[in-house]
Amino acid sequence: MPLVSLLLITQWLTGCELFSRPASQSPATTEPETPVEATDPSQCPPIETVVCAEPEVKVVERVIERNYEKVVEVPVAKDRMVLGSEESVTVEPGGLTLRALIDTGAATSSLSVLEMVPFERDGNQWVRFQLSAGEEAKPVKIELPIKRHVRVSRPGFDRQRRPVVDMSLTVGEVTHMVEVNLIQRDEFEFPLLVGRNFLKDAAVVDVSRKGVQGKPQLPSFSK
């Protein structure tokens, strides 16, 4: 009886040990582990560097044009007179006061005359013409030697060959001897055009005004 009891107790202890063993240690369910083989580094794919592209930036240039009006103040010398676009001018010889246009675009002064006739005197070329201060005024006959001839072209007209003579022009209190080219013309708005050969170093022109100098004052000569 004691032997039978000992065997029963031994089997019972063995059964408890089987039930208390972890499942991972169970001989029926445990599988042999597969060995891990070492990897050769030379067989690995190369590592590629990925560079992210910078975002495209569009620059839009906007050009704004601005027009500025530049005002330039030109100093006027005290020894220069101011002329308007139209002035009264006395011409010599003749002693006539004519309505003149101050023409800064003309290199020389120009005078409209009547009955212009060239002739020769003492082997030199002269010109005879009549000059009038108005339709009702009596013309004055003038004879002057010809210095040279010039060709003048105007829009809509043929080139003209004009004689050039020396004449004295007086504007205000200023008198200059200048070259004047002569043109025969019956109808004219301004019988005299005062060019740059009179204006240079003598006057400045204010085109917004007329008759600034008033009546010409001829120089007085002491005897």
Side-chain angles (χ1 to χ4, degrees):
M1 184 60 121
L3 181 60
V4 176
S5 300
L6 181 60
L7 291 175
L8 292 174
I9 293 171
T10 302
Q11 291 179 359
W12 179 78
L13 291 175
T14 303
C16 292
E17 184 180 359
L18 291 175
F19 284 109
S20 61
R21 183 179 298 176
S24 61
Q25 297 180 2
S26 176
T29 59
T30 302
E31 295 181 358
E33 297 181 358
T34 304
V36 179
E37 296 182 359
T39 306
D40 188 359
S42 62
Q43 297 179 359
C44 296
I47 301 175
E48 297 182 359
T49 303
V50 179
V51 180
C52 297
E54 296 183 0
E56 183 180 358
V57 179
K58 294 184 179 180
V59 180
V60 180
E61 295 184 358
R62 179 178 298 177
V63 179
I64 302 176
E65 295 183 358
R66 295 183 175 89
N67 296 326
Y68 296 95
E69 181 178 356
K70 186 177 181 181
V71 179
V72 179
E73 294 184 0
V74 179
V76 179
K78 294 182 180 180
D79 58 345
R80 294 186 184 183
M81 63 178 176
V82 178
L83 300 180
S85 59
E86 301 176 13
E87 294 289 343
S88 296
V89 181
T90 299
V91 297
E92 291 286 353
L96 300 179
T97 300
L98 306 177
R99 180 168 170 253
L101 175 67
I102 309 302
D103 189 0
T104 59
T108 60
S109 301
S110 177
L111 181 65
S112 298
V113 300
L114 303 173
E115 300 180 7
M116 182 171 55
V117 179
F119 66 98
E120 184 176 335
R121 176 178 293 174
D122 300 331
N124 298 319
Q125 292 185 336
W126 284 60
V127 63
R128 180 186 301 112
F129 58 90
Q130 293 188 4
L131 186 62
S132 176
E135 295 181 357
E136 299 180 358
K138 183 179 180 179
V140 177
K141 186 174 72 174
I142 300 174
E143 294 180 352
L144 289 173
I146 299 175
K147 290 188 62 178
R148 58 189 177 92
H149 287 83
V150 295
R151 291 192 176 275
V152 180
S153 60
R154 296 182 301 161
F157 296 89
D158 296 333
R159 290 172 59 89
Q160 296 178 339
R161 186 172 183 266
R162 301 180 185 179
V164 177
V165 297
D166 283 334
M167 299 191 75
S168 175
L169 305 182
T170 301
V171 182
E173 299 180 353
V174 177
T175 300
H176 287 318
M177 181 72 71
V178 296
E179 290 186 346
V180 179
N181 65 75
L182 306 177
I183 175 174
Q184 182 170 325
R185 188 166 50 189
D186 295 335
E187 297 180 359
F188 45 81
E189 182 179 1
F190 295 96
L192 176 63
L193 302 181
V194 178
R196 294 194 303 271
N197 59 343
F198 181 91
L199 303 174
K200 183 179 179 181
D201 300 329
V204 293
V205 182
D206 184 353
V207 296
S208 64
R209 304 170 64 184
K210 297 180 181 180
V212 177
Q213 294 299 320
K215 185 178 179 179
Q217 301 181 18
L218 296 176
S220 59
F221 300 95
S222 59
K223 297 181 181 180

